[in-house]
Amino acid sequence: MRYLIFLVFILYTFTYCSSPVAQESEQTFTTQAQELKLWYDEPAQNWNEALPVGNGRLGAMVFGGVEEELIQLNEETLWSGGPAKTNPNPGVAKYLSEIREALFNEEYQKAAELTQKMQGLYTQSYAPLGDLLIRQEVEGQATEYYRDLDITNALATTRFSVGGTNYTREIFVSEPDQLIVIRLKASEPGALNFTVATQSPLQYENEVLSADEILMKGEAPAQADPNYVNYNEEPVIYGDDEDCRGMRFALRVKAKHSDGEVTADASGLQVSDATEVVLLLSAATSYNGFDKCPDKEGKDEQKLAEQYLTKALGKTYDQMQIDHVQDYQEYFNRMSLFLGTSENADLPTNERLMRYSEGEQDPALESLYLQYGRYLLISSSRPEGIPANLQGIWNPHVRPPWSSNYTTNINAEMNYWPAEMTNLSEMHEPFLNHIKNVAATGAETAKNFYSADGWVAHHNVDIWATSNPVGDLGKGDPQWANWPLGGAWLAQHLWEHYQFTGDKEYLRNEAYPLMKGAAQFCLDWLIENEEGQLVTAPSTSPENVFITESGLESDVSIATTMDMSIIWDLFTNTIEASEVMGTDADFRQSLIEARSKLFPLQIGKKGNLQEWYKDWEDVDPQHRHVSHLFGLHPGRQITPLRTPTYAEAAEKTLEIRGDGGTGWSKAWKIDFWARLHDGNHAYKLLRELLELTGVEGTEYADGGGTYPNLFCAHPPFQIDGNFGGTAGIAEMLLQSHDGALHLLPAIPDAWADGEVKGLKARGGFEIDMRWADGKVQQLVVYAALGGNCRLRLDSELTSENEPDLTKAEGDNPNPFYKVPKVEDRLLGDDVAQPAPKDTYVLYDFNTEAGQSYTFVGMGEE
Ligand code: FUC
């Protein structure tokens, strides 16, 4: 049976997957076994049942109503506000010495009060563009209702029949044509009668442009308070800012029809007696960069919207769709995953999810979840664009939850964890590019708030690259507002991009200068404690509160584990980057010295990795943030093979924290357990992440988990959990942060057999592998960059031809696998560093750039 399943899968993947192995195959067999679709037998009742489509810039949520179709629209650059004010609270650096004195005197509350004075302004909010409303006249009851989102083609379809006529609506968002394209079709000639209207929750007006084209133009607020700030009489303000009004936007809707009639008036478009109509939606904003006023210095959004439309007018619907699918699949088809087939795949996705939540097995839903994460990333983060925010690009609220901004104490980074591993390196680019903007405002913030060099970012960033500690000049809580490690964490992504791509030009020209700037700030920010160790002060551990021995509760202290781990990571990456390029030896030396003096990781009395400077209790021991395990994931300071003592302490920490938490918290825990090589625990959390939520009138009404449209629920919707879960699945299959390509490091019993293609590893390697009973049976390593390759797995391999496999000994010459020597990792005097566990087989061989290497597992024919 197992072989039958694999045969089906291999045929399937050879058809759909363009990984190096698949490219060699010309087979064209197709199977429905892994149809990658979300589908439903009724229209969406609410936003969390609607289906997301997007091209990175334009987004739409499709509800699929029969007589009233609602398509909620977004444009990624449409935000409230304008360029960030970088010195909103002058002179606050003076508090630093007083805060530090209070901290060393153990006056934590006094320190927290003073720290609160060092706050700037809140970020701005991501705004919705508006709605497209299609009111269709049908006579009679609709039957055979069906709607789906096909993530192989990035296409959403709604179908139904009325009185013997079949109606079909298709929608996709084209990257090549920069349009939202909707086709409405009837099986009977002239059966289409509908109107099209536009509206927006922002300030707007509608205009008629011609008999078949309408325009909505409007303006975003000049100021929109975060949804949790409720003390201002006017939380949303339009255009009263003397310096800079809010951003302008334009939406054009044009109807192309084969027959029937189209007219336009103030209420929108009216279509009568048509058989097929294509609606082309073109939108643009006046956003012209993070440092330009979107009003006075803004782009001509009217012209842009017109240009996109005019350019595509000559194209047929079919040609637009072909171009769209081709463009999308260039990314999507790079990877495939098969974990088994599921009977429940024949059920509507909401029901399928409900059964899964009740404990039924559905491995195909788990692989669909990974692919959905990849779909969402391709649809919300395209090169040249703006990074995916807390909700990707999909948001209907003028004051969305947490401003739908970039929350850097976990959420924004989590969005990009799957980018490199799941073969979507280009989708990482908007995030990497925005770090440059943040470094520009962050250099001002470092100077103005701390009199420090380099650049800094705090807990919240927005399209304007706001980098100050938020809190509205002292009204925020330091436990989240005054966290200056955002920039240092962001800088990890620059290094990771290099690790996966090996792009030295990028490292030299883009990444390294930014990494260096972040490290310069940290060098300035660190001070010596009484023992001469380097510590951060003030320091918080997002967003937790400790209780001291004397029962005092506070959030501001010294050298939290997260601070020290992020700095260790940044220094280590920057040291390695300067070594790779052979430059900046003096600066490298200063980092090496500083790193050796960093306050070490500590193990607490419960055997846990300590979160705080001292072994204090937590006010909320099961807090959703697990900041102190940064070194386990996404960092590489703690690994079971090299620092087993700390790995055990990390495991204890996770046990104490428990498996609960919001959507993203569970997703992070999947990554943690995968890094601890405990596949079954990671899998348990994946199942919990995929628990149905948000269905009113059932037991699935609230809580973290997954909505019927497979969006992750914090709750409310936050896309980070989708991306963190996707990365977690990838981490269970392959890891490459600890000196080797570790194959199946955390494979759960539930995934005893499976196959993956196109997973990426550091060093530019790409992995296709099939496994059975948890052991690798077939493996192809594609070496994009060449160089030494080191494999780690728990079973033996043979290779019939090249390379000659020898079990490796000694140092690994591949710079991508460079792992700091154990003595650099001696993090506390009291902790022994046992040798790596001897439970894995290690292979070491040389590769040539562009070559694939094939292996088979023992016992395999
Ligand atoms: C952090 C988290 C919250 C939420 C918000 C966007 O503040 O603590 O849970 O995810 O970001």
Side-chain angles (χ1 to χ4, degrees):
M1 181 59 191
R2 181 192 305 151
Y3 285 96
L4 188 65
I5 294 172
F6 277 125
L7 185 66
V8 168
F9 174 63
I10 286 165
L11 292 171
Y12 166 81
T13 47
F14 280 166
T15 309
Y16 287 108
C17 179
S18 62
S19 77
V21 198
Q23 278 164 5
E24 287 161 17
S25 169
E26 292 300 317
Q27 296 181 63
T28 52
F29 187 84
T30 59
T31 167
Q32 297 300 306
Q34 290 277 276
E35 207 177 41
L36 295 172
K37 279 184 181 170
L38 286 66
W39 74 273
Y40 308 83
D41 55 13
E42 50 186 54
Q45 305 297 322
N46 59 56
W47 199 85
N48 294 319
E49 293 179 11
L51 294 169
V53 286
N55 69 352
R57 187 174 73 85
L58 301 167
M61 292 295 286
V62 188
F63 281 66
V66 170
E67 283 165 285
E68 293 234 353
E69 167 64 295
L70 167 60
I71 299 175
Q72 188 261 310
L73 305 168
N74 285 103
E75 208 275 2
E76 66 171 354
T77 61
L78 188 54
W79 287 64
S80 63
K85 298 186 174 73
T86 49
N87 198 10
N89 200 357
V92 288
K94 67 170 184 254
Y95 293 116
L96 259 188
S97 52
E98 223 182 314
I99 293 170
R100 288 172 173 165
E101 201 184 306
L103 286 170
F104 287 116
N105 288 334
E106 302 190 12
E107 297 170 289
Y108 300 111
Q109 256 165 3
K110 180 177 174 194
E113 278 159 28
L114 289 168
T115 302
Q116 199 164 13
K117 291 184 194 282
M118 300 184 73
Q119 293 177 354
L121 303 175
Y122 283 115
T123 70
Q124 292 299 331
S125 302
Y126 179 51
L129 187 139
D131 300 325
L132 186 83
L133 293 154
I134 301 174
R135 295 195 180 86
Q136 186 169 352
E137 274 175 45
V138 288
E139 280 173 24
Q141 197 61 33
T143 57
E144 294 166 67
Y145 182 89
Y146 171 92
R147 70 183 168 106
D148 75 14
L149 175 63
D150 169 1
I151 64 169
T152 305
N153 295 301
L155 180 74
T157 304
T158 305
R159 282 199 308 259
F160 52 89
S161 293
V162 183
T165 304
N166 299 327
Y167 296 94
T168 313
R169 297 180 199 140
E170 286 180 350
I171 172 166
F172 61 89
V173 189
S174 165
E175 213 284 331
D177 289 319
Q178 288 297 320
L179 297 176
I180 300 176
V181 185
I182 307 170
R183 182 177 68 177
L184 298 95
K185 228 176 139 175
S187 62
E188 299 301 316
L192 275 180
N193 290 288
F194 64 91
T195 62
V196 180
T198 51
Q199 62 185 26
S200 175
L202 307 183
Q203 286 191 346
Y204 76 103
E205 52 190 71
N206 284 325
E207 256 180 45
V208 176
L209 292 178
S210 69
D212 59 10
E213 190 171 344
I214 51 175
L215 165 73
M216 176 168 74
K217 53 187 186 183
E219 188 176 310
Q223 164 67 33
D225 286 351
N227 65 323
Y228 50 85
V229 168
N230 292 312
Y231 47 77
N232 289 325
E233 240 169 68
E234 274 190 277
V236 176
I237 299 169
Y238 283 91
D240 78 336
D241 190 324
E242 291 289 296
D243 299 336
C244 180
R245 293 180 67 90
M247 196 184 296
R248 298 183 306 269
F249 67 92
L251 168 74
R252 281 175 176 246
V253 183
K254 186 173 184 71
K256 285 173 78 177
H257 55 118
S258 53
D259 55 358
E261 202 190 349
V262 180
T263 54
D265 65 20
S267 66
L269 298 170
Q270 297 86 38
V271 177
S272 46
D273 307 327
T275 314
E276 181 175 326
V277 177
V278 176
L279 299 176
L280 300 175
L281 274 62
S282 178
T285 75
S286 60
Y287 177 72
N288 193 20
F290 78 102
D291 52 357
K292 302 268 187 327
C293 169
D295 175 39
K296 276 186 281 195
E297 300 168 284
K299 285 190 176 165
D300 185 344
E301 74 290 350
Q302 302 282 346
K303 200 164 141 200
L304 278 172
E306 188 185 354
Q307 277 171 353
Y308 295 132
L309 199 58
T310 317
K311 230 174 122 196
L313 267 185
K315 279 173 93 169
T316 62
Y317 174 82
D318 287 344
Q319 195 54 52
M320 277 194 268
Q321 198 189 90
I322 289 167
D323 291 351
H324 158 68
V325 172
Q326 195 180 5
D327 165 76
Y328 169 77
Q329 290 188 343
E330 202 180 301
Y331 302 109
F332 187 73
N333 286 2
R334 289 176 186 169
M335 211 200 123
S336 67
L337 173 65
F338 178 81
L339 299 169
T341 52
S342 317
E343 280 173 21
N344 287 357
D346 294 337
L347 295 171
T349 305
N350 50 330
E351 237 177 284
R352 186 176 182 185
L353 203 54
M354 195 177 299
R355 300 252 188 125
Y356 185 81
S357 309
E358 281 156 6
E360 291 190 19
Q361 295 304 314
D362 193 344
L365 179 67
E366 290 153 359
S367 50
L368 175 68
Y369 192 77
L370 170 124
Q371 292 291 27
Y372 190 52
R374 298 182 67 244
Y375 165 81
L376 292 173
L377 194 62
I378 302 169
S379 305
S380 63
S381 184
R382 288 292 191 115
E384 316 270 308
I386 305 299
N389 61 48
L390 273 178
Q391 299 184 188
I393 50 169
W394 298 280
N395 163 46
H397 311 286
V398 179
R399 292 175 70 202
W402 292 284
S403 306
S404 200
N405 63 17
Y406 305 103
T407 308
T408 60
N409 67 17
I410 175 65
N411 320 85
E413 291 90 351
M414 183 177 276
N415 278 3
Y416 285 92
W417 288 346
E420 301 289 343
M421 282 191 296
T422 72
N423 218 330
L424 298 174
S425 189
E426 296 89 336
M427 279 63 215
H428 208 171
E429 284 172 25
F431 192 56
L432 302 172
N433 292 339
H434 202 49
I435 295 175
K436 200 170 182 170
N437 302 338
V438 180
T441 69
E444 299 286 309
T445 301
K447 213 167 25 202
N448 296 332
F449 281 76
Y450 307 118
S451 302
D453 271 352
W455 65 276
V456 63
H458 295 77
H459 157 251
N460 288 134
V461 169
D462 56 12
I463 196 171
W464 311 112
T466 291
S467 55
N468 69 191
V470 295
D472 196 9
L473 311 175
K475 301 188 192 72
D477 199 323
Q479 67 179 254
W480 38 267
N482 294 85
W483 178 75
L485 271 296
W489 188 345
L490 291 176
Q492 188 193 49
H493 284 253
L494 304 161
W495 175 243
E496 288 288 299
H497 185 61
Y498 166 71
Q499 288 272 289
F500 279 86
T501 60
D503 185 345
K504 287 212 169 71
E505 284 294 291
Y506 164 78
L507 182 65
R508 185 177 303 279
N509 301 329
E510 302 287 328
Y512 183 73
L514 298 172
M515 291 166 69
K516 183 175 176 183
Q520 275 165 329
F521 172 77
C522 291
L523 284 176
D524 263 13
W525 183 241
L526 289 161
I527 51 169
E528 280 192 9
N529 66 5
E530 291 92 341
E531 280 83 50
Q533 294 160 316
L534 290 177
V535 298
T536 52
S539 174
T540 54
S541 187
E543 307 176 7
N544 209 357
V545 179
F546 57 85
I547 315 173
T548 64
E549 308 83 347
S550 55
L552 179 93
E553 290 183 14
S554 187
D555 38 24
V556 178
S557 60
I558 299 171
T560 59
T561 299
M562 183 185 237
D563 276 11
M564 304 319 292
S565 301
I566 291 179
I567 294 174
W568 186 93
D569 190 77
L570 172 66
F571 285 2
T572 303
N573 295 344
T574 312
I575 291 164
E576 289 182 17
S578 82
E579 275 171 356
V580 167
M581 299 180 309
T583 53
D584 234 356
D586 291 346
F587 187 67
R588 186 192 317 148
Q589 200 46 42
S590 65
L591 292 180
I592 291 171
E593 274 160 32
R595 186 178 61 179
S596 70
K597 286 170 68 185
L598 289 178
F599 183 72
L601 296 177
Q602 303 185 88
I603 294 176
K605 53 182 176 294
K606 294 177 187 154
N608 57 316
L609 193 77
Q610 240 171 257
E611 180 163 4
W612 310 102
Y613 195 49
K614 306 221 167 137
D615 198 3
W616 293 320
E617 297 291 326
D618 297 317
V619 169
D620 176 5
Q622 305 208 317
H623 197 274
R624 62 191 180 285
H625 284 264
V626 201
S627 308
H628 41 321
L629 296 197
F630 178 93
L632 178 65
H633 183 278
R636 58 189 163 123
Q637 191 177 12
I638 300 173
T639 74
L641 299 179
R642 288 170 192 272
T643 60
T645 312
Y646 289 114
E648 270 168 38
E651 188 167 338
K652 190 77 201 159
T653 290
L654 283 172
E655 280 165 15
I656 296 171
R657 264 314 200 243
D659 288 342
T662 53
W664 61 256
S665 174
K666 278 186 192 293
W668 200 359
K669 287 169 188 165
I670 297 172
D671 291 273
F672 287 140
W673 285 106
R675 286 275 174 103
L676 288 172
H677 304 163
D678 188 337
N680 285 336
H681 207 131
Y683 181 74
K684 172 183 181 280
L685 279 151
L686 176 66
R687 288 202 69 109
E688 290 175 18
L689 181 68
L690 274 160
E691 261 174 33
L692 182 63
T693 188
V695 183
E696 279 167 36
T698 72
E699 61 180 299
Y700 301 110
D702 46 36
T706 297
Y707 291 116
N709 62 3
L710 298 192
F711 266 163
C712 185
H714 177 287
F717 163 54
Q718 253 179 235
I719 208 163
D720 42 21
N722 285 96
F723 292 135
T726 300
I729 295 172
E731 289 273 348
M732 290 161 78
L733 303 172
L734 175 66
Q735 292 172 18
S736 60
H737 62 287
D738 191 28
L741 303 190
H742 193 153
L743 309 175
L744 304 179
I747 201 76
D749 296 342
W751 298 346
D753 303 340
E755 180 157 332
V756 69
K757 284 172 180 281
L759 259 187
K760 294 284 285 207
R762 290 168 186 81
F765 296 105
E766 190 167 327
I767 296 294
D768 296 354
M769 68 182 156
R770 181 174 70 75
W771 67 95
D773 290 331
K775 309 269 181 242
V776 176
Q777 297 299 326
Q778 280 180 0
L779 171 72
V780 181
V781 179
Y782 171 71
L785 306 170
N788 164 257
C789 180
R790 180 176 277 199
L791 301 176
R792 184 192 298 138
L793 67 167
D794 70 354
S795 59
E796 310 243 325
L797 295 175
T798 57
S799 169
E800 281 163 20
N801 40 37
E802 293 294 319
D804 182 17
L805 282 181
T806 48
K807 286 188 194 167
E809 275 170 31
D811 275 350
N812 185 332
N814 188 326
F816 294 103
Y817 298 143
K818 193 166 163 13
V819 173
K821 288 194 211 83
V822 172
E823 53 268 36
D824 292 339
R825 307 167 76 89
L826 277 181
L827 309 161
D829 293 341
D830 51 340
V831 180
Q833 297 289 321
K837 274 187 213 159
D838 194 18
T839 50
Y840 294 103
V841 183
L842 215 55
Y843 295 109
D844 204 334
F845 58 97
N846 285 322
T847 64
E848 284 189 30
Q851 292 298 312
S852 292
Y853 299 86
T854 22
F855 309 93
V856 288
M858 295 303 277
E860 190 73 0
E861 291 301 306

